[in-house]
């Protein structure tokens, strides 16, 4: 895999993590309730799934196309 493609994928996964983390922080800090999203726990669960998926993808990318070892903290 070329370096530009790898860097693009890493940026994409990190952006997904940052976006989901920010949204969870907003739910937590401001205790906002969006009328069409009254199931806050369900929404946060979906965001945690996004984070888990992106972290898994980063670990696989690093394991197979980057660093020699996967980051065990992510796995």
């Amino acid at each position: 895999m070329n370096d530009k493609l790898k860097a693009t994928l890493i940026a994409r996964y990190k952006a997904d993590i940052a976006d989901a983390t920010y949204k969870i922080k907003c739910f937590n800090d401001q205790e906002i309730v969006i009328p069409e999203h009254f199931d806050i726990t369900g929404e946060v669960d979906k965001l945690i799934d996004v984070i888990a998926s992106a972290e898994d993808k980063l670990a696989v990318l690093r394991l197979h196309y980057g660093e020699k070892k996967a980051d065990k903290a992510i796995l």
Side-chain angles (χ1 to χ4, degrees):
M1 177 178 301
N2 70 50
D3 290 339
K4 189 169 185 173
L5 175 58
K6 187 170 92 174
T8 300
L9 288 171
I10 289 170
R12 179 182 194 164
Y13 302 146
K14 286 184 177 183
D16 288 346
I17 293 167
D19 181 60
T21 302
Y22 174 75
K23 288 175 182 174
I24 291 171
K25 184 176 180 345
C26 287
F27 280 131
N28 187 50
D29 290 351
Q30 299 173 14
E31 297 182 10
I32 57 174
V33 176
I34 302 168
E36 60 271 5
H37 295 289
F38 54 88
D39 181 13
I40 299 301
T41 55
E43 291 300 314
V44 172
D45 184 60
K46 289 177 191 175
L47 293 168
I48 289 173
D49 189 47
V50 169
I51 293 169
S53 176
E55 287 180 344
D56 286 347
K57 290 177 182 180
L58 275 172
V60 169
L61 183 67
R62 289 176 176 145
L63 179 66
H64 293 283
Y65 299 103
E67 302 164 8
K68 296 296 180 200
K69 293 190 253 180
D71 185 352
K72 291 184 180 184
I74 291 177
L75 297 175

